[in-house]
Amino acid sequence: MTGLRFIVFAPAMQCIPIAVSLLLAFRFEEVMQIAKARDRKIIDAECSFAEAIVAIQNEYAGIERYPGRLLIADAEDENFVATRRVGEYTIFSYRYSPRQLLQFALKDSSWAEGVAFQAGAYKIIGVKQFKTPTGFPVRLLVAQGFQCYGPP
């Protein structure tokens, strides 16, 4: 990936979060250096919660590959809306297509229902099983906000 430049804090796929401009004109290697300086457990960075969850649902990628990675929420990810709280987690949902409901959990219970997700950097901290409102078990990626600047 040498020589690739970022429009905004993002890997080579050129995510462009509209709401937040984190780091401008950094190469992937520079982004990873900053991320690893803040958290040595970061293993990689990728664009888009929507793309990651679609890849999992379509079985292009296993859900277990994501913990330890940064996902850079882009403009499309602002279509996710807080739909409910479960303990210390907020569940975000996005009707991606008539047949695909995309969901993930954010370890942060301060989001009000109906509030749109914000573009930015989020660390995938794990995978957790939740129950849908009808009692069906579902495994979701669990994310946590990631600060790229300021005190650790």
Side-chain angles (χ1 to χ4, degrees):
M1 293 195 186
T2 305
L4 296 175
R5 300 298 286 182
F6 290 82
I7 292 173
V8 175
F9 183 104
M13 286 83 70
Q14 304 281 326
C15 331
I16 305 173
I18 292 173
V20 180
S21 176
L22 299 171
L23 297 170
L24 296 174
F26 281 77
R27 290 190 327 257
F28 180 79
E29 293 81 8
E30 294 168 321
V31 169
M32 288 306 298
Q33 184 178 15
I34 291 167
K36 285 184 179 235
R38 297 195 65 80
D39 184 342
R40 293 199 176 275
K41 295 180 182 177
I42 298 292
I43 57 174
D44 201 359
E46 297 181 18
C47 285
S48 183
F49 277 79
E51 287 181 22
I53 297 167
V54 167
I56 292 164
Q57 287 183 356
N58 291 340
E59 299 180 357
Y60 301 136
I63 196 168
E64 300 300 336
R65 88 180 277 276
Y66 288 96
R69 295 175 189 273
L70 286 182
L71 278 182
I72 311 304
D74 60 17
E76 181 177 26
D77 292 334
E78 292 177 347
N79 290 315
F80 281 95
V81 175
T83 53
R84 63 190 173 105
R85 284 191 229 151
V86 180
E88 63 183 329
Y89 304 95
T90 300
I91 307 297
F92 284 84
S93 303
Y94 168 29
R95 178 60 65 186
Y96 182 74
S97 72
R99 293 182 170 211
Q100 283 186 294
L101 176 67
L102 309 183
Q103 293 184 306
F104 69 91
L106 185 66
K107 190 174 182 181
D108 181 345
S109 62
S110 67
W111 293 70
E113 287 185 27
V115 173
F117 190 55
Q118 296 175 2
Y122 297 85
K123 179 181 177 186
I124 303 302
I125 59 172
V127 176
K128 183 171 174 46
Q129 184 165 308
F130 294 90
K131 291 200 181 222
T132 65
T134 58
F136 184 75
V138 60
R139 292 179 68 209
L140 301 177
L141 291 176
V142 177
Q144 186 171 13
F146 188 82
Q147 292 291 338
C148 300
Y149 51 87

